[in-house]
Amino acid sequence: MRRAGPRPLHLALDAFSRTAAPATVLARVQAAWPGVAGSAVAAEAQPVAERGGVVTVSCRSATWAHELSLLGPDLIARLNGELDPAGAGPLRELRTRTARPG
């Protein structure tokens, strides 16, 4: 019997991360963020809090904060689509803040 070659590590890590990740709305938003916002935006802004359907996104500059505040309704709709494909997602608002790069 011939043994198959080694399996890619990312398959095991993906399966593990799905079971190990906290089941909070913020964790789900953070996981979906790069796909919803795009890689350029995700490099400049990250969701840092969620409370009562309001997602707070920390941005590297005031320019990005302003841009995301304009894109907020679209981003919330896309996030809700990722979190709940039926469209009844828990999010209702996106707020931005500017944070110093650490």
Side-chain angles (χ1 to χ4, degrees):
M1 175 171 160
R2 186 162 189 212
R3 184 171 223 199
R7 293 178 43 193
L9 181 59
H10 76 85
L11 296 176
L13 292 176
D14 287 345
F16 174 74
S17 67
R18 281 191 296 273
T19 60
T24 64
V25 174
L26 178 59
R28 292 171 44 213
V29 167
Q30 289 171 330
W33 182 251
V36 167
S39 60
V41 173
E44 300 293 330
Q46 289 293 316
V48 294
E50 184 279 331
R51 184 175 179 138
V54 177
V55 176
T56 301
V57 177
S58 181
C59 304
R60 286 192 180 185
S61 70
T63 303
W64 276 106
H66 179 69
E67 184 71 23
L68 289 183
S69 68
L70 296 173
L71 294 172
D74 182 51
L75 289 169
I76 288 296
R78 288 195 266 165
L79 282 168
N80 279 331
E82 284 290 317
L83 301 180
D84 181 11
L91 306 176
R92 58 182 176 78
E93 184 180 346
L94 185 135
R95 290 187 185 160
T96 60
R97 71 174 195 189
T98 303
R100 288 185 181 171

